[in-house]
Amino acid sequence: MITSLRGMNDILSDDYKRFTYFIDTATKIAQRYGFHFIETPLLEETSLFKRSVGESSDIVGKEMYQFVDKGGNDICLRPEGTAGVVRAFIQKKLDRAGGVHRFFYHGAMFRYERPQKGRLRQFHQFGVESFGVESVYEDANMIMMVSDILKELGIGYRLQLNSLGCIECMPSYRKKLIHFVQECKDTICEDCIRRLDTNPIRVLDCKNGSCQELYINAPKLMQNLCSECEKDFTTLTKILDDNAIAYEINTNLVRGLDYYSKTAFEFVSDNIGSQSAIAGGGRYDRLVEFLDGRPTPAVGFAMGIERLMELIKMPEVKKEGYYIGAMDDESIDTIIKVAHKKRESNLVIVDYKSKNLKNHLKAADKTNAKYCAVIGSEEMKNGTIWVKNLEDKTEKTVTLEDF
Ligand code: HAM
């Protein structure tokens, strides 16, 4: 038997209901915040991710589905959504147009990670990206939007916040951190030694317990921010306080993608095991420029749909639509015709096999239809149809015209 690839799942039946319920809810809320849908391709040039997510990141360094296509182009399946949206933003010259542009998207992302619970190789994200707003109020808006989506879905969370500083304060902090890490170079893990050369700040995110113990005494980003970054961070926390959104400041939260500056945040759940991040994002004011666009401030987030599907509290499913069946073979053509007409404005499930009323009622129940409608020889003769309301259990026979 051929099975799906490791870490790549089918989504059907009840899972699909959760999946679409999530997307419908998140879409509704993103639209309330003034965001518009954008679709970008699953395949992009590999260089797009190298230049944005960063060559030193695990995503680009270890996890890309990268290959050369028949035309000799170095391409890859997108590991995340931001880079493609930024590419589209520049390609459509929206950076030159100026003004504010707000997009949301959802779709499959691909990372060649070791599959485990909550960690897939093909997974789905819902994300938003906002361009052209420098104000930290937009960062707060992002966080409030995630919070609104999670609230609507009945999902509890912990919000972790950090500021990664800007071009003013980050370089001097980097120097201090490198100095600190070099002092303990003999005791840190190999990954951290590599990070020291590629992207030192990522040592703070190391999962190795003994490294983490050493870094407790490392200089803290939060204590090395310039006055503007500090002011923005204070404003952000005030807005969150004013709007009753609880947060924890995590000075080690550096995120796994290189494009962030200033605000970084992650929403985590304590109910889904070790892969606990359910959403993450932050500001990336320099990325548009890095990818050859006009300097444009930007901020965004993405939510992991599969992780959220485990947590969603689904609303009670209401019975809906019609189940239509025939009690003998002669009535089948008529029910097809009746169903076709009824489908102009209703959900209709048709059973093509004739059977007795009891079996039709049983089958109708399984489809979750609100009405079971049946035609037999008697109804054929009179031009009628027998209808039972499966909620209040009332029954009646009506003319086909009235039906
Ligand atoms: P990210 O933190 O890499 O950020 O991914 C966002 C979310 O995708 C995670 O919080 C997690 O829920 C989900 N996720 C990531 N990897 C996997 C996986 N292997 N299996 C299942 N779920 C996963 C980004 O991708 C950024 N583009 C977010 C962003 C948008 N920043 C600014 N704008």
Side-chain angles (χ1 to χ4, degrees):
M1 185 180 60
I2 299 172
T3 59
S4 67
L5 299 175
R6 229 161 87 77
M8 299 200 175
N9 289 346
D10 303 307
I11 304 175
L12 67 162
S13 308
D14 280 352
D15 282 345
Y16 187 68
K17 283 184 194 149
R18 287 173 175 276
F19 188 85
T20 49
Y21 179 60
F22 172 79
I23 288 178
D24 290 349
T25 306
T27 297
K28 181 181 73 186
I29 291 172
Q31 284 170 338
R32 276 186 207 157
Y33 277 78
F35 284 70
H36 302 280
F37 186 69
I38 182 169
E39 177 87 45
T40 64
L42 297 184
L43 288 165
E44 298 272 5
E45 278 185 30
T46 302
S47 60
L48 172 65
F49 299 105
K50 284 192 173 168
R51 286 173 59 186
S52 54
V53 177
E55 297 209 50
S56 71
S57 68
D58 283 352
I59 295 177
V60 170
K62 302 180 187 168
E63 298 166 1
M64 293 237 278
Y65 276 88
Q66 183 182 351
F67 56 97
V68 176
D69 73 5
K70 289 188 171 114
N73 306 297
D74 183 358
I75 59 174
C76 69
L77 284 165
R78 63 182 183 190
E80 59 103 54
T82 309
V85 175
V86 174
R87 195 244 337 111
F89 175 77
I90 299 168
Q91 194 172 333
K92 292 278 183 229
K93 299 190 171 52
L94 299 176
D95 56 330
R96 285 157 190 270
V100 178
H101 302 269
R102 295 187 170 104
F103 300 107
F104 72 91
Y105 53 90
H106 46 80
M109 309 291 158
F110 303 84
R111 296 184 191 174
Y112 196 83
E113 295 190 77
R114 198 168 48 79
Q116 65 175 85
K117 184 175 178 302
R119 195 205 273 153
L120 296 161
R121 287 181 172 169
Q122 175 174 339
F123 60 98
H124 295 78
Q125 284 185 345
F126 180 92
V128 317
E129 314 294 350
S130 161
F131 298 96
V133 187
E134 205 169 357
S135 162
V136 72
Y137 286 101
E138 189 72 346
D139 308 29
N141 237 10
M142 297 287 138
I143 292 174
M144 289 196 274
M145 199 191 312
V146 180
S147 166
D148 284 355
I149 294 171
L150 296 176
K151 212 169 178 187
E152 179 106 0
L153 298 167
I155 298 175
Y157 64 81
R158 279 188 298 114
L159 164 62
Q160 305 205 322
L161 266 192
N162 196 14
S163 172
L164 299 177
C166 65
I167 193 156
E168 283 289 313
C169 47
M170 181 45 110
S172 60
Y173 171 73
R174 245 171 92 111
K175 265 194 202 147
K176 282 188 196 170
L177 183 67
I178 291 172
H179 180 74
F180 174 88
V181 180
Q182 262 164 349
E183 294 281 289
C184 41
K185 206 170 173 182
D186 297 340
T187 35
I188 57 176
C189 73
E190 271 180 26
D191 273 345
C192 280
I193 291 175
R194 191 174 43 81
R195 285 174 188 133
L196 211 46
D197 289 332
T198 54
N199 190 359
I201 194 163
R202 290 226 56 217
V203 301
L204 297 174
D205 196 27
C206 181
K207 301 288 175 285
N208 184 310
S210 59
C211 288
Q212 272 307 331
E213 258 175 50
L214 282 172
Y215 303 148
I216 289 173
N217 299 317
K220 299 277 174 283
L221 241 166
M222 200 55 82
Q223 283 147 15
N224 286 274
L225 297 178
C226 63
S227 57
E228 197 194 306
C229 286
E230 202 175 288
K231 188 168 139 254
D232 277 351
F233 195 73
T234 308
T235 307
L236 176 63
T237 52
K238 182 184 176 303
I239 305 166
L240 298 180
D241 289 338
D242 286 352
N243 287 279
I245 295 178
Y247 56 87
E248 302 158 10
I249 295 173
N250 176 356
T251 51
N252 288 349
L253 177 73
V254 294
R255 309 269 301 127
L257 307 96
D258 288 355
Y259 47 64
Y260 294 110
S261 56
K262 294 194 167 183
T263 307
F265 59 87
E266 222 159 69
F267 284 75
V268 294
S269 163
D270 294 325
N271 301 317
I272 48 169
S274 64
Q275 299 305 307
S276 60
I278 48 179
R283 188 159 271 283
Y284 53 93
D285 286 343
R286 301 182 63 213
L287 184 56
V288 177
E289 195 181 350
F290 272 164
L291 294 176
D292 305 328
R294 289 217 175 136
T296 309
V299 57
F301 69 78
M303 312 179 80
I305 302 182
E306 281 81 357
R307 290 184 192 173
L308 290 160
M309 276 160 63
E310 287 208 27
L311 298 164
I312 291 172
K313 294 197 176 52
M314 291 289 282
E316 206 185 309
V317 184
K318 282 199 181 132
K319 286 188 181 296
E320 189 197 352
Y322 290 80
Y323 166 101
I324 305 183
M327 293 215 280
D328 48 49
D329 290 350
E330 288 69 45
S331 311
I332 290 178
D333 290 357
T334 305
I335 63 158
I336 301 284
K337 216 166 134 190
V338 169
H340 190 205
K341 185 86 190 133
K342 200 74 186 161
R343 277 197 185 113
E344 283 171 9
S345 53
N346 294 280
L347 163 73
V348 180
I349 310 274
V350 179
D351 194 318
Y352 303 127
K353 272 205 170 140
S354 61
K355 48 183 146 251
N356 66 29
L357 186 57
K358 197 172 146 211
N359 286 335
H360 272 311
L361 284 166
K362 252 197 218 163
D365 231 25
K366 283 192 190 145
T367 64
N368 208 39
K370 184 172 175 187
Y371 299 98
C372 174
V374 172
I375 296 181
S377 56
E378 189 66 20
E379 286 79 14
M380 280 290 277
K381 202 166 66 195
N382 300 330
T384 56
I385 184 164
W386 179 87
V387 187
K388 179 168 182 175
N389 181 324
L390 299 173
E391 260 174 9
D392 65 17
K393 312 290 178 210
T394 54
E395 313 170 4
K396 60 183 175 186
T397 299
V398 293
T399 63
L400 282 178
E401 203 173 324
D402 284 348
F403 182 70

